Amino acid sequence: AQTVTQSQPEMSVQEAETVTLSCTYDTSESDYYLFWYKQPPSRQMILVIRQEAYKQQNATENRFSVNFQKAAKSFSLKISDSQLGDAAMYFCAYRPSSGYSTLTFGKGTMLLVSP
Amino acid sequence: SAVISQKPSRDICQRGTSLTIQCQVDSQVTMMFWYRQQPGQSLTLIATANQGSEATYESGFVIDKFPISRPNLTFSTLTVSNMSPEDSSIYLCSVGGKGLDPTDTQYFGPGTRLTVL
């Protein structure tokens, strides 16, 4: 069975600084997708960034980028120039490319942003 | 992406009653999913709602407790039956498998916050 591990229950960062959230996963599949979702307090979960395992290039989305290490099964999220609006729970998720779209989520990392 | 709405957004219910949660999508989607998020926890998949067939339930979830309907490609309901305080959670609808999205990314509704007294 696939598992997703987020070892940091909580992280803190100051505005304008950079923070990295960690995620590791375990799978026997060779082709899959990885996602980071953001869930602000009492607000809707939204997709931050996604990575296809067959792509060697790390995905980027404005201030958000990932460091995807397939051999190490690591998928960290880097947030640059942090903003107060980045404060949220961040979930790492995995989905195999075969079959239907069942996601496996990590337990989440709460990101606190201070002025 | 898809625009997803859920009704109700929140509710407070009495033990032993049932609540039906609706999920509406602005376009036809292949897959619809229902998740539960207990307080301070991650998301747990309850079931996959298939249009025109029975829902597929994950281990630990049964149809008698969480009956699901999927009458068409834009709508689904989840009923939480015979509720107990342990059912207090956020229930999220998710969609995926859109033909336009090759990565088959899942998008989430705003959730229904349920409190059972």
PDB file of all heavy atoms in Angstrom, chain B residues 64-99:
ATOM      1  N   ASP B  64     -24.730   1.296   4.418  1.00  0.00           N
ATOM      2  CA  ASP B  64     -25.848   1.558   5.323  1.00  0.00           C
ATOM      3  C   ASP B  64     -25.619   2.834   6.129  1.00  0.00           C
ATOM      4  O   ASP B  64     -26.569   3.526   6.484  1.00  0.00           O
ATOM      5  CB  ASP B  64     -26.062   0.382   6.275  1.00  0.00           C
ATOM      6  CG  ASP B  64     -26.612  -0.831   5.555  1.00  0.00           C
ATOM      7  OD1 ASP B  64     -27.080  -0.675   4.402  1.00  0.00           O
ATOM      8  OD2 ASP B  64     -26.585  -1.931   6.128  1.00  0.00           O
ATOM      9  N   LYS B  65     -24.394   3.120   6.434  1.00  0.00           N
ATOM     10  CA  LYS B  65     -24.050   4.299   7.223  1.00  0.00           C
ATOM     11  C   LYS B  65     -23.873   5.539   6.339  1.00  0.00           C
ATOM     12  O   LYS B  65     -24.256   6.633   6.725  1.00  0.00           O
ATOM     13  CB  LYS B  65     -22.755   4.035   7.989  1.00  0.00           C
ATOM     14  CG  LYS B  65     -22.214   5.209   8.782  1.00  0.00           C
ATOM     15  CD  LYS B  65     -23.112   5.573   9.947  1.00  0.00           C
ATOM     16  CE  LYS B  65     -22.473   6.693  10.770  1.00  0.00           C
ATOM     17  NZ  LYS B  65     -23.375   7.117  11.872  1.00  0.00           N
ATOM     18  N   PHE B  66     -23.321   5.336   5.162  1.00  0.00           N
ATOM     19  CA  PHE B  66     -23.016   6.455   4.254  1.00  0.00           C
ATOM     20  C   PHE B  66     -23.574   6.186   2.853  1.00  0.00           C
ATOM     21  O   PHE B  66     -22.810   6.048   1.887  1.00  0.00           O
ATOM     22  CB  PHE B  66     -21.506   6.677   4.166  1.00  0.00           C
ATOM     23  CG  PHE B  66     -20.854   7.062   5.452  1.00  0.00           C
ATOM     24  CD1 PHE B  66     -20.155   6.120   6.203  1.00  0.00           C
ATOM     25  CD2 PHE B  66     -20.927   8.365   5.930  1.00  0.00           C
ATOM     26  CE1 PHE B  66     -19.536   6.477   7.398  1.00  0.00           C
ATOM     27  CE2 PHE B  66     -20.312   8.740   7.117  1.00  0.00           C
ATOM     28  CZ  PHE B  66     -19.615   7.783   7.856  1.00  0.00           C
ATOM     29  N   PRO B  67     -24.875   6.122   2.704  1.00  0.00           N
ATOM     30  CA  PRO B  67     -25.419   5.918   1.353  1.00  0.00           C
ATOM     31  C   PRO B  67     -25.099   7.102   0.444  1.00  0.00           C
ATOM     32  O   PRO B  67     -25.125   8.256   0.869  1.00  0.00           O
ATOM     33  CB  PRO B  67     -26.931   5.775   1.601  1.00  0.00           C
ATOM     34  CG  PRO B  67     -27.170   6.342   2.943  1.00  0.00           C
ATOM     35  CD  PRO B  67     -25.912   6.191   3.732  1.00  0.00           C
ATOM     36  N   ILE B  68     -24.797   6.779  -0.795  1.00  0.00           N
ATOM     37  CA  ILE B  68     -24.371   7.773  -1.783  1.00  0.00           C
ATOM     38  C   ILE B  68     -25.223   7.625  -3.037  1.00  0.00           C
ATOM     39  O   ILE B  68     -25.528   6.512  -3.461  1.00  0.00           O
ATOM     40  CB  ILE B  68     -22.885   7.576  -2.143  1.00  0.00           C
ATOM     41  CG1 ILE B  68     -21.978   8.021  -0.983  1.00  0.00           C
ATOM     42  CG2 ILE B  68     -22.507   8.312  -3.424  1.00  0.00           C
ATOM     43  CD1 ILE B  68     -20.523   7.659  -1.172  1.00  0.00           C
ATOM     44  N   SER B  69     -25.591   8.756  -3.601  1.00  0.00           N
ATOM     45  CA  SER B  69     -26.256   8.734  -4.897  1.00  0.00           C
ATOM     46  C   SER B  69     -25.427   9.502  -5.909  1.00  0.00           C
ATOM     47  O   SER B  69     -24.688  10.431  -5.551  1.00  0.00           O
ATOM     48  CB  SER B  69     -27.666   9.341  -4.797  1.00  0.00           C
ATOM     49  OG  SER B  69     -27.586  10.753  -4.743  1.00  0.00           O
ATOM     50  N   ARG B  70     -25.537   9.104  -7.172  1.00  0.00           N
ATOM     51  CA  ARG B  70     -24.846   9.800  -8.259  1.00  0.00           C
ATOM     52  C   ARG B  70     -25.753   9.727  -9.483  1.00  0.00           C
ATOM     53  O   ARG B  70     -25.513   8.944 -10.405  1.00  0.00           O
ATOM     54  CB  ARG B  70     -23.485   9.148  -8.538  1.00  0.00           C
ATOM     55  CG  ARG B  70     -22.733   9.766  -9.692  1.00  0.00           C
ATOM     56  CD  ARG B  70     -21.857  10.893  -9.270  1.00  0.00           C
ATOM     57  NE  ARG B  70     -21.415  11.691 -10.398  1.00  0.00           N
ATOM     58  CZ  ARG B  70     -20.288  11.474 -11.086  1.00  0.00           C
ATOM     59  NH1 ARG B  70     -19.486  10.460 -10.756  1.00  0.00           N
ATOM     60  NH2 ARG B  70     -19.970  12.266 -12.084  1.00  0.00           N
ATOM     61  N   PRO B  71     -26.781  10.548  -9.494  1.00  0.00           N
ATOM     62  CA  PRO B  71     -27.779  10.429 -10.560  1.00  0.00           C
ATOM     63  C   PRO B  71     -27.312  10.916 -11.928  1.00  0.00           C
ATOM     64  O   PRO B  71     -27.880  10.507 -12.942  1.00  0.00           O
ATOM     65  CB  PRO B  71     -28.929  11.300 -10.052  1.00  0.00           C
ATOM     66  CG  PRO B  71     -28.283  12.287  -9.134  1.00  0.00           C
ATOM     67  CD  PRO B  71     -27.142  11.560  -8.499  1.00  0.00           C
ATOM     68  N   ASN B  72     -26.316  11.782 -11.965  1.00  0.00           N
ATOM     69  CA  ASN B  72     -25.799  12.267 -13.250  1.00  0.00           C
ATOM     70  C   ASN B  72     -24.339  12.677 -13.102  1.00  0.00           C
ATOM     71  O   ASN B  72     -23.744  12.482 -12.032  1.00  0.00           O
ATOM     72  CB  ASN B  72     -26.655  13.431 -13.769  1.00  0.00           C
ATOM     73  CG  ASN B  72     -26.732  14.578 -12.771  1.00  0.00           C
ATOM     74  OD1 ASN B  72     -25.716  15.072 -12.304  1.00  0.00           O
ATOM     75  ND2 ASN B  72     -27.954  14.988 -12.423  1.00  0.00           N
ATOM     76  N   LEU B  73     -23.772  13.241 -14.158  1.00  0.00           N
ATOM     77  CA  LEU B  73     -22.333  13.520 -14.169  1.00  0.00           C
ATOM     78  C   LEU B  73     -21.949  14.828 -13.487  1.00  0.00           C
ATOM     79  O   LEU B  73     -20.772  15.191 -13.468  1.00  0.00           O
ATOM     80  CB  LEU B  73     -21.825  13.529 -15.621  1.00  0.00           C
ATOM     81  CG  LEU B  73     -21.834  12.173 -16.321  1.00  0.00           C
ATOM     82  CD1 LEU B  73     -21.453  12.322 -17.786  1.00  0.00           C
ATOM     83  CD2 LEU B  73     -20.902  11.186 -15.632  1.00  0.00           C
ATOM     84  N   THR B  74     -22.928  15.540 -12.916  1.00  0.00           N
ATOM     85  CA  THR B  74     -22.602  16.807 -12.252  1.00  0.00           C
ATOM     86  C   THR B  74     -23.063  16.869 -10.803  1.00  0.00           C
ATOM     87  O   THR B  74     -22.899  17.896 -10.141  1.00  0.00           O
ATOM     88  CB  THR B  74     -23.252  17.995 -13.009  1.00  0.00           C
ATOM     89  OG1 THR B  74     -24.673  17.859 -12.955  1.00  0.00           O
ATOM     90  CG2 THR B  74     -22.786  18.045 -14.461  1.00  0.00           C
ATOM     91  N   PHE B  75     -23.614  15.793 -10.274  1.00  0.00           N
ATOM     92  CA  PHE B  75     -24.248  15.870  -8.966  1.00  0.00           C
ATOM     93  C   PHE B  75     -24.082  14.569  -8.199  1.00  0.00           C
ATOM     94  O   PHE B  75     -24.123  13.466  -8.771  1.00  0.00           O
ATOM     95  CB  PHE B  75     -25.738  16.182  -9.146  1.00  0.00           C
ATOM     96  CG  PHE B  75     -26.484  16.426  -7.873  1.00  0.00           C
ATOM     97  CD1 PHE B  75     -26.414  17.654  -7.224  1.00  0.00           C
ATOM     98  CD2 PHE B  75     -27.291  15.430  -7.320  1.00  0.00           C
ATOM     99  CE1 PHE B  75     -27.116  17.892  -6.053  1.00  0.00           C
ATOM    100  CE2 PHE B  75     -27.999  15.652  -6.147  1.00  0.00           C
ATOM    101  CZ  PHE B  75     -27.906  16.887  -5.514  1.00  0.00           C
ATOM    102  N   SER B  76     -23.921  14.711  -6.869  1.00  0.00           N
ATOM    103  CA  SER B  76     -23.867  13.551  -5.996  1.00  0.00           C
ATOM    104  C   SER B  76     -24.344  13.957  -4.612  1.00  0.00           C
ATOM    105  O   SER B  76     -24.277  15.141  -4.239  1.00  0.00           O
ATOM    106  CB  SER B  76     -22.437  13.005  -5.911  1.00  0.00           C
ATOM    107  OG  SER B  76     -22.353  11.903  -5.009  1.00  0.00           O
ATOM    108  N   THR B  77     -24.848  12.993  -3.866  1.00  0.00           N
ATOM    109  CA  THR B  77     -25.189  13.231  -2.467  1.00  0.00           C
ATOM    110  C   THR B  77     -24.551  12.165  -1.592  1.00  0.00           C
ATOM    111  O   THR B  77     -24.374  11.017  -2.005  1.00  0.00           O
ATOM    112  CB  THR B  77     -26.705  13.214  -2.222  1.00  0.00           C
ATOM    113  OG1 THR B  77     -27.212  11.897  -2.446  1.00  0.00           O
ATOM    114  CG2 THR B  77     -27.424  14.211  -3.109  1.00  0.00           C
ATOM    115  N   LEU B  78     -24.219  12.587  -0.386  1.00  0.00           N
ATOM    116  CA  LEU B  78     -23.743  11.691   0.664  1.00  0.00           C
ATOM    117  C   LEU B  78     -24.671  11.860   1.857  1.00  0.00           C
ATOM    118  O   LEU B  78     -24.908  12.986   2.298  1.00  0.00           O
ATOM    119  CB  LEU B  78     -22.315  12.039   1.069  1.00  0.00           C
ATOM    120  CG  LEU B  78     -21.788  11.362   2.331  1.00  0.00           C
ATOM    121  CD1 LEU B  78     -21.447   9.906   2.055  1.00  0.00           C
ATOM    122  CD2 LEU B  78     -20.571  12.094   2.888  1.00  0.00           C
ATOM    123  N   THR B  79     -25.194  10.759   2.375  1.00  0.00           N
ATOM    124  CA  THR B  79     -26.022  10.808   3.579  1.00  0.00           C
ATOM    125  C   THR B  79     -25.234  10.211   4.731  1.00  0.00           C
ATOM    126  O   THR B  79     -24.638   9.138   4.587  1.00  0.00           O
ATOM    127  CB  THR B  79     -27.344  10.051   3.369  1.00  0.00           C
ATOM    128  OG1 THR B  79     -28.077  10.661   2.316  1.00  0.00           O
ATOM    129  CG2 THR B  79     -28.176  10.069   4.647  1.00  0.00           C
ATOM    130  N   VAL B  80     -25.219  10.911   5.827  1.00  0.00           N
ATOM    131  CA  VAL B  80     -24.640  10.384   7.064  1.00  0.00           C
ATOM    132  C   VAL B  80     -25.825   9.934   7.915  1.00  0.00           C
ATOM    133  O   VAL B  80     -26.631  10.769   8.359  1.00  0.00           O
ATOM    134  CB  VAL B  80     -23.788  11.432   7.793  1.00  0.00           C
ATOM    135  CG1 VAL B  80     -23.081  10.806   8.989  1.00  0.00           C
ATOM    136  CG2 VAL B  80     -22.772  12.054   6.840  1.00  0.00           C
ATOM    137  N   SER B  81     -25.943   8.640   8.120  1.00  0.00           N
ATOM    138  CA  SER B  81     -27.133   8.070   8.739  1.00  0.00           C
ATOM    139  C   SER B  81     -26.919   7.770  10.222  1.00  0.00           C
ATOM    140  O   SER B  81     -25.793   7.489  10.659  1.00  0.00           O
ATOM    141  CB  SER B  81     -27.511   6.765   8.028  1.00  0.00           C
ATOM    142  OG  SER B  81     -27.719   6.970   6.653  1.00  0.00           O
ATOM    143  N   ASN B  82     -28.029   7.844  10.969  1.00  0.00           N
ATOM    144  CA  ASN B  82     -28.007   7.473  12.389  1.00  0.00           C
ATOM    145  C   ASN B  82     -26.767   8.047  13.069  1.00  0.00           C
ATOM    146  O   ASN B  82     -25.921   7.322  13.594  1.00  0.00           O
ATOM    147  CB  ASN B  82     -28.044   5.945  12.527  1.00  0.00           C
ATOM    148  CG  ASN B  82     -28.214   5.499  13.957  1.00  0.00           C
ATOM    149  OD1 ASN B  82     -28.750   6.226  14.798  1.00  0.00           O
ATOM    150  ND2 ASN B  82     -27.740   4.287  14.253  1.00  0.00           N
ATOM    151  N   MET B  83     -26.667   9.360  13.039  1.00  0.00           N
ATOM    152  CA  MET B  83     -25.441  10.031  13.459  1.00  0.00           C
ATOM    153  C   MET B  83     -25.151   9.910  14.938  1.00  0.00           C
ATOM    154  O   MET B  83     -26.065   9.851  15.780  1.00  0.00           O
ATOM    155  CB  MET B  83     -25.509  11.508  13.054  1.00  0.00           C
ATOM    156  CG  MET B  83     -25.394  11.719  11.549  1.00  0.00           C
ATOM    157  SD  MET B  83     -25.380  13.443  11.093  1.00  0.00           S
ATOM    158  CE  MET B  83     -27.099  13.864  11.308  1.00  0.00           C
ATOM    159  N   SER B  84     -23.873   9.889  15.236  1.00  0.00           N
ATOM    160  CA  SER B  84     -23.370   9.929  16.610  1.00  0.00           C
ATOM    161  C   SER B  84     -22.321  11.036  16.685  1.00  0.00           C
ATOM    162  O   SER B  84     -21.838  11.516  15.640  1.00  0.00           O
ATOM    163  CB  SER B  84     -22.755   8.584  16.995  1.00  0.00           C
ATOM    164  OG  SER B  84     -21.585   8.360  16.234  1.00  0.00           O
ATOM    165  N   PRO B  85     -21.941  11.460  17.885  1.00  0.00           N
ATOM    166  CA  PRO B  85     -20.928  12.519  17.985  1.00  0.00           C
ATOM    167  C   PRO B  85     -19.630  12.198  17.254  1.00  0.00           C
ATOM    168  O   PRO B  85     -18.928  13.112  16.805  1.00  0.00           O
ATOM    169  CB  PRO B  85     -20.705  12.635  19.492  1.00  0.00           C
ATOM    170  CG  PRO B  85     -22.021  12.255  20.076  1.00  0.00           C
ATOM    171  CD  PRO B  85     -22.540  11.156  19.189  1.00  0.00           C
ATOM    172  N   GLU B  86     -19.320  10.914  17.106  1.00  0.00           N
ATOM    173  CA  GLU B  86     -18.094  10.516  16.395  1.00  0.00           C
ATOM    174  C   GLU B  86     -18.136  10.862  14.906  1.00  0.00           C
ATOM    175  O   GLU B  86     -17.112  10.854  14.222  1.00  0.00           O
ATOM    176  CB  GLU B  86     -17.842   9.020  16.555  1.00  0.00           C
ATOM    177  CG  GLU B  86     -17.467   8.569  17.963  1.00  0.00           C
ATOM    178  CD  GLU B  86     -18.634   8.637  18.924  1.00  0.00           C
ATOM    179  OE1 GLU B  86     -19.788   8.374  18.498  1.00  0.00           O
ATOM    180  OE2 GLU B  86     -18.409   8.964  20.111  1.00  0.00           O
ATOM    181  N   ASP B  87     -19.316  11.166  14.400  1.00  0.00           N
ATOM    182  CA  ASP B  87     -19.456  11.560  12.986  1.00  0.00           C
ATOM    183  C   ASP B  87     -19.178  13.044  12.775  1.00  0.00           C
ATOM    184  O   ASP B  87     -19.178  13.508  11.630  1.00  0.00           O
ATOM    185  CB  ASP B  87     -20.864  11.222  12.485  1.00  0.00           C
ATOM    186  CG  ASP B  87     -21.133   9.732  12.437  1.00  0.00           C
ATOM    187  OD1 ASP B  87     -20.214   8.972  12.062  1.00  0.00           O
ATOM    188  OD2 ASP B  87     -22.259   9.322  12.804  1.00  0.00           O
ATOM    189  N   SER B  88     -18.930  13.765  13.835  1.00  0.00           N
ATOM    190  CA  SER B  88     -18.613  15.191  13.701  1.00  0.00           C
ATOM    191  C   SER B  88     -17.308  15.345  12.934  1.00  0.00           C
ATOM    192  O   SER B  88     -16.249  14.887  13.379  1.00  0.00           O
ATOM    193  CB  SER B  88     -18.496  15.839  15.078  1.00  0.00           C
ATOM    194  OG  SER B  88     -19.720  15.776  15.770  1.00  0.00           O
ATOM    195  N   SER B  89     -17.394  15.953  11.779  1.00  0.00           N
ATOM    196  CA  SER B  89     -16.253  16.063  10.869  1.00  0.00           C
ATOM    197  C   SER B  89     -16.581  17.091   9.804  1.00  0.00           C
ATOM    198  O   SER B  89     -17.704  17.591   9.724  1.00  0.00           O
ATOM    199  CB  SER B  89     -15.988  14.729  10.149  1.00  0.00           C
ATOM    200  OG  SER B  89     -15.545  13.728  11.004  1.00  0.00           O
ATOM    201  N   ILE B  90     -15.585  17.334   8.968  1.00  0.00           N
ATOM    202  CA  ILE B  90     -15.838  18.035   7.712  1.00  0.00           C
ATOM    203  C   ILE B  90     -15.940  16.972   6.625  1.00  0.00           C
ATOM    204  O   ILE B  90     -15.088  16.086   6.531  1.00  0.00           O
ATOM    205  CB  ILE B  90     -14.712  19.028   7.382  1.00  0.00           C
ATOM    206  CG1 ILE B  90     -14.620  20.105   8.461  1.00  0.00           C
ATOM    207  CG2 ILE B  90     -14.944  19.664   6.015  1.00  0.00           C
ATOM    208  CD1 ILE B  90     -13.419  21.018   8.300  1.00  0.00           C
ATOM    209  N   TYR B  91     -16.989  17.076   5.826  1.00  0.00           N
ATOM    210  CA  TYR B  91     -17.170  16.143   4.721  1.00  0.00           C
ATOM    211  C   TYR B  91     -16.920  16.903   3.417  1.00  0.00           C
ATOM    212  O   TYR B  91     -17.537  17.943   3.165  1.00  0.00           O
ATOM    213  CB  TYR B  91     -18.569  15.531   4.757  1.00  0.00           C
ATOM    214  CG  TYR B  91     -18.738  14.608   5.937  1.00  0.00           C
ATOM    215  CD1 TYR B  91     -19.118  15.110   7.181  1.00  0.00           C
ATOM    216  CD2 TYR B  91     -18.476  13.242   5.824  1.00  0.00           C
ATOM    217  CE1 TYR B  91     -19.234  14.270   8.275  1.00  0.00           C
ATOM    218  CE2 TYR B  91     -18.596  12.402   6.919  1.00  0.00           C
ATOM    219  CZ  TYR B  91     -18.971  12.918   8.138  1.00  0.00           C
ATOM    220  OH  TYR B  91     -19.074  12.091   9.231  1.00  0.00           O
ATOM    221  N   LEU B  92     -16.004  16.365   2.626  1.00  0.00           N
ATOM    222  CA  LEU B  92     -15.605  17.054   1.399  1.00  0.00           C
ATOM    223  C   LEU B  92     -15.940  16.227   0.170  1.00  0.00           C
ATOM    224  O   LEU B  92     -15.695  15.019   0.135  1.00  0.00           O
ATOM    225  CB  LEU B  92     -14.099  17.336   1.409  1.00  0.00           C
ATOM    226  CG  LEU B  92     -13.617  18.283   2.491  1.00  0.00           C
ATOM    227  CD1 LEU B  92     -12.689  17.563   3.436  1.00  0.00           C
ATOM    228  CD2 LEU B  92     -12.889  19.461   1.882  1.00  0.00           C
ATOM    229  N   CYS B  93     -16.467  16.919  -0.802  1.00  0.00           N
ATOM    230  CA  CYS B  93     -16.697  16.345  -2.115  1.00  0.00           C
ATOM    231  C   CYS B  93     -15.504  16.702  -2.991  1.00  0.00           C
ATOM    232  O   CYS B  93     -14.948  17.804  -2.893  1.00  0.00           O
ATOM    233  CB  CYS B  93     -17.989  16.917  -2.692  1.00  0.00           C
ATOM    234  SG  CYS B  93     -18.287  16.540  -4.427  1.00  0.00           S
ATOM    235  N   SER B  94     -15.111  15.788  -3.841  1.00  0.00           N
ATOM    236  CA  SER B  94     -13.992  16.028  -4.745  1.00  0.00           C
ATOM    237  C   SER B  94     -14.338  15.463  -6.117  1.00  0.00           C
ATOM    238  O   SER B  94     -15.084  14.482  -6.213  1.00  0.00           O
ATOM    239  CB  SER B  94     -12.734  15.357  -4.194  1.00  0.00           C
ATOM    240  OG  SER B  94     -11.692  15.381  -5.129  1.00  0.00           O
ATOM    241  N   VAL B  95     -13.791  16.077  -7.150  1.00  0.00           N
ATOM    242  CA  VAL B  95     -14.023  15.579  -8.505  1.00  0.00           C
ATOM    243  C   VAL B  95     -12.698  15.385  -9.200  1.00  0.00           C
ATOM    244  O   VAL B  95     -11.704  16.054  -8.901  1.00  0.00           O
ATOM    245  CB  VAL B  95     -14.913  16.543  -9.321  1.00  0.00           C
ATOM    246  CG1 VAL B  95     -16.234  16.784  -8.605  1.00  0.00           C
ATOM    247  CG2 VAL B  95     -14.206  17.850  -9.615  1.00  0.00           C
ATOM    248  N   GLY B  96     -12.696  14.462 -10.136  1.00  0.00           N
ATOM    249  CA  GLY B  96     -11.487  14.206 -10.886  1.00  0.00           C
ATOM    250  C   GLY B  96     -11.827  13.482 -12.176  1.00  0.00           C
ATOM    251  O   GLY B  96     -12.975  13.153 -12.441  1.00  0.00           O
ATOM    252  N   GLY B  97     -10.778  13.221 -12.952  1.00  0.00           N
ATOM    253  CA  GLY B  97     -10.970  12.463 -14.169  1.00  0.00           C
ATOM    254  C   GLY B  97     -11.531  13.267 -15.305  1.00  0.00           C
ATOM    255  O   GLY B  97     -12.052  12.733 -16.269  1.00  0.00           O
ATOM    256  N   LYS B  98     -11.402  14.589 -15.225  1.00  0.00           N
ATOM    257  CA  LYS B  98     -11.872  15.408 -16.338  1.00  0.00           C
ATOM    258  C   LYS B  98     -11.035  15.129 -17.575  1.00  0.00           C
ATOM    259  O   LYS B  98      -9.837  15.059 -17.518  1.00  0.00           O
ATOM    260  CB  LYS B  98     -11.776  16.882 -15.972  1.00  0.00           C
ATOM    261  CG  LYS B  98     -12.735  17.318 -14.885  1.00  0.00           C
ATOM    262  CD  LYS B  98     -12.721  18.830 -14.697  1.00  0.00           C
ATOM    263  CE  LYS B  98     -13.328  19.519 -15.902  1.00  0.00           C
ATOM    264  NZ  LYS B  98     -13.411  20.976 -15.690  1.00  0.00           N
ATOM    265  N   GLY B  99     -11.709  15.036 -18.663  1.00  0.00           N
ATOM    266  CA  GLY B  99     -11.023  14.720 -19.907  1.00  0.00           C
ATOM    267  C   GLY B  99     -10.024  15.769 -20.322  1.00  0.00           C
ATOM    268  O   GLY B  99      -9.046  15.487 -21.012  1.00  0.00           O
TER     269      GLY B  99
END
